[in-house]
Amino acid sequence: MDRKKVNLPNIVKLYEAGERISMLTAYDYPSAAIADAAGIEIILIGDSLGMVVNGYKNTLPVTVEEVIYHTRAVVRAAEYSFVVADMPFLSYQTGIHDALYNAGRMLKEGGAEAIKLEGGSAMAETIKAIVHADIPVMGHIGLTPQSIHRMGGYRIQGRDEKSYNILLQDALAVEAAGAFAIVLEGIPGTLAKEITSKLHIPTIGIGAGKDVSGQVLVFHDLLGLSGHKQPTFVKQYAQLKDIAVNAIQQYVKDVKEGVFPGAEHTYK
Ligand code: KIV
């Protein structure tokens, strides 16, 4: 595997060569080191960290400081992967100045190489301003978790003709605003395919089928670490939670029975 660090021009090259792009979330040093060693091209410090790592019910409570904290840890491990930090709720919706300032903090204080934000046409001016400051932006449309209350839950978007066409326009607006890529989350495969065929930037799907330029999953979902029932779009490649619980149960037993520590774990 070529271990030269992935940068933005490399991602453009992958897209132009028709090679599918792999993206995964990570939130700390060990998870990022694992993703990096596995050859993931883009690591996202998703605001999903609020739910996955901190146990919040949704992503809304996540702060800029939390994303920066987690981004710093990820950046230290990312020798290969390109690092994208997610803009949390209210860090960019309150105006272009706030958006630019907080996006800048992700690079300046977190060490990220790009930011991601949710929203389509309504965010076009914001994306333009951030890109104008030479901060690469990844868009995110469809089932946008920060809009949970408007959507009435985590519901697949773009199923009826009206929202299908709105999402198509949103994708075009995000591209025209200068985003280098766009996440398509929770939309029908047919819509993702049409968006992908109309855009000239990579589309990264999550619950959007296979006709996109790349895929993203949440680290804990992919590895079976969360223990929750997973949505249809998740493929669990391992069941690490079971393995971890078994290992720790064995440790508890060894402690109770006085089997651990053995002589080999004891200083002479
Ligand atoms: O926060 C996140 O993890 C995300 C990805 C699922 C795209 O936004």
Side-chain angles (χ1 to χ4, degrees):
M1 188 199 305
D2 179 9
R3 293 298 300 174
K4 212 162 154 284
K5 190 160 173 28
V6 177
N7 58 27
L8 192 52
N10 298 147
I11 291 165
V12 174
K13 268 192 205 147
L14 287 176
Y15 170 69
E16 286 174 352
E19 186 172 333
R20 289 197 171 88
I21 298 164
S22 61
M23 175 162 141
L24 186 65
T25 69
Y27 313 103
D28 57 15
Y29 188 87
S31 60
I34 290 167
D36 190 86
I40 288 290
E41 279 126 1
I42 304 177
I43 292 180
L44 171 71
I45 302 91
D47 64 352
S48 52
L49 70 88
M51 299 169 79
V52 177
V53 179
N54 296 313
Y56 298 138
K57 284 205 162 29
N58 56 49
T59 59
L60 301 186
V62 175
T63 65
V64 170
E65 280 67 29
E66 284 171 333
V67 177
I68 289 173
Y69 172 83
H70 287 276
T71 301
R72 280 188 177 150
V74 166
V75 163
R76 285 183 210 119
E79 291 173 4
Y80 171 74
S81 316
F82 185 71
V83 177
V84 180
D86 217 358
M87 297 282 281
F89 180 58
L90 278 199
S91 68
Y92 59 100
Q93 293 92 338
T94 49
I96 288 179
H97 177 271
D98 287 356
L100 192 50
Y101 178 69
N102 287 318
R105 290 188 66 193
M106 297 298 175
L107 273 63
K108 195 178 172 80
E109 298 173 43
E113 292 154 293
I115 63 100
K116 176 174 85 58
L117 58 79
E118 297 180 9
S121 310
M123 282 299 142
E125 289 309 313
T126 302
I127 294 172
K128 246 185 230 167
I130 299 173
V131 170
H132 194 67
D134 279 345
I135 300 171
V137 176
M138 177 179 276
H140 184 168
I141 63 166
L143 192 172
T144 43
Q146 290 175 23
S147 314
I148 181 172
H149 297 307
R150 172 180 58 77
M151 296 182 300
Y154 297 118
R155 295 176 194 285
I156 304 304
Q157 303 293 300
R159 278 191 159 143
D160 60 274
E161 198 184 333
K162 187 173 170 214
S163 65
Y164 185 105
N165 288 324
I166 289 174
L167 284 171
L168 203 50
Q169 293 313 312
D170 279 342
L172 292 166
V174 167
E175 176 182 58
F180 73 93
I182 183 167
V183 170
L184 305 178
E185 178 165 357
I187 61 172
T190 44
L191 173 55
K193 186 176 181 182
E194 184 166 356
I195 291 174
T196 302
S197 73
K198 291 216 154 83
L199 297 192
H200 303 91
I201 56 172
T203 55
I204 310 291
I206 175 162
K210 66 176 180 51
D211 295 313
V212 287
S213 323
Q215 297 289 334
V216 56
L217 279 177
V218 166
F219 185 88
H220 295 63
D221 295 348
L222 183 156
L223 291 176
L225 275 165
S226 62
H228 302 135
K229 187 177 174 312
Q230 295 300 324
T232 308
F233 65 81
V234 171
K235 179 168 176 182
Q236 288 195 311
Y237 288 82
Q239 286 295 343
L240 294 193
K241 185 169 182 193
D242 295 345
I243 293 172
V245 170
N246 285 340
I248 294 170
Q249 279 173 339
Q250 188 59 49
Y251 165 69
V252 171
K253 187 165 174 282
D254 284 359
V255 169
K256 302 274 179 213
E257 293 176 359
V259 173
F260 174 80
E264 68 276 31
H265 308 115
T266 306
Y267 296 111
K268 303 241 172 353

